[in-house]
Amino acid sequence: MERNHKILLGAVLAITIILFFVNIYAAGTAAIIFIALVMSVWIMQDSQLHPEIVATLRNEAKSLELRNQGNATAYALHVVIIPHDVELDIPMLGEEERYVYTFDKMVDEAKVVVSFTNEKKQQYKKTFLLSALGKSEDDLLKPMFPLFKWKKEDD
């Protein structure tokens, strides 16, 4: 936890304790604010250093785009495109950076398996089912960045 966060939480906790002796209702309100701040700091720490690789078909299904939508650089990417017998090794993909692989011909369907690591050497593996016919496995309820190890695949 950063020094600034510790100072903020300590100050709010001290104000909560002081308000407890002054007015119980004000202390309850301050306690709720303290709990909300603790949860916010916890979520901020959990969401750091998470690369989020997304694979999509582009250019009328003639190319595959890999994009890092996370908040950290992805290292040692290994991409397998099934059933087209294509394997790619990409050393790194920075935040909001894109990598495009062009196929020889149009691809109607493909399964893309991407494995990569973050700066802390944590392993990630994602699978994408891509189709040029409009079928998609996009989850509308998925958060913008993974929170609390959301849907983390363990292999």
Side-chain angles (χ1 to χ4, degrees):
M1 187 180 311
E2 290 185 23
R3 183 173 177 254
N4 294 340
H5 297 146
K6 289 180 183 178
I7 292 170
L8 175 67
L9 292 175
V12 172
L13 183 62
I15 291 171
T16 303
I17 292 170
I18 292 169
L19 285 175
F20 180 72
F21 295 110
V22 175
N23 184 346
I24 190 78
Y25 299 112
T29 304
I32 291 171
I33 292 171
F34 174 72
I35 291 169
L37 285 173
V38 168
M39 289 173 44
S40 298
V41 169
W42 182 42
I43 289 171
M44 282 177 16
Q45 287 181 336
D46 193 40
S47 66
Q48 288 179 336
L49 298 176
H50 285 287
E52 179 71 20
I53 304 298
V54 177
T56 55
L57 286 175
R58 293 186 57 206
N59 295 335
E60 299 173 356
K62 291 184 180 179
S63 63
L64 170 76
E65 178 186 71
L66 297 171
R67 181 176 174 203
N68 183 359
Q69 294 181 338
N71 57 10
T73 302
Y75 294 97
L77 283 90
H78 181 74
V79 181
V80 179
I81 304 170
I82 304 167
H84 302 284
D85 292 332
V86 176
E87 289 192 38
L88 305 170
D89 286 315
I90 305 166
M92 65 181 271
L93 198 61
E95 298 173 38
E96 294 301 322
E97 193 173 331
R98 299 168 193 247
Y99 178 85
V100 178
Y101 174 78
T102 305
F103 295 104
D104 296 334
K105 59 181 181 171
M106 279 191 200
V107 174
D108 56 349
E109 290 185 336
K111 179 178 180 179
V112 178
V113 180
V114 182
S115 57
F116 54 95
T117 61
N118 67 356
E119 294 173 8
K120 294 182 179 178
K121 303 297 182 201
Q122 292 173 321
Q123 297 285 330
Y124 296 90
K125 185 174 185 179
K126 296 185 78 174
T127 302
F128 300 95
L129 299 174
L130 304 177
S131 174
L133 304 175
K135 300 176 205 167
S136 176
E137 65 171 18
D138 289 339
D139 187 355
L140 298 176
L141 299 177
K142 183 178 177 184
M144 291 300 292
F145 51 91
L147 292 176
F148 309 116
K149 315 302 183 260
W150 189 85
K151 271 192 171 180
K152 183 177 179 183
E153 293 184 19
D154 294 321
D155 285 353

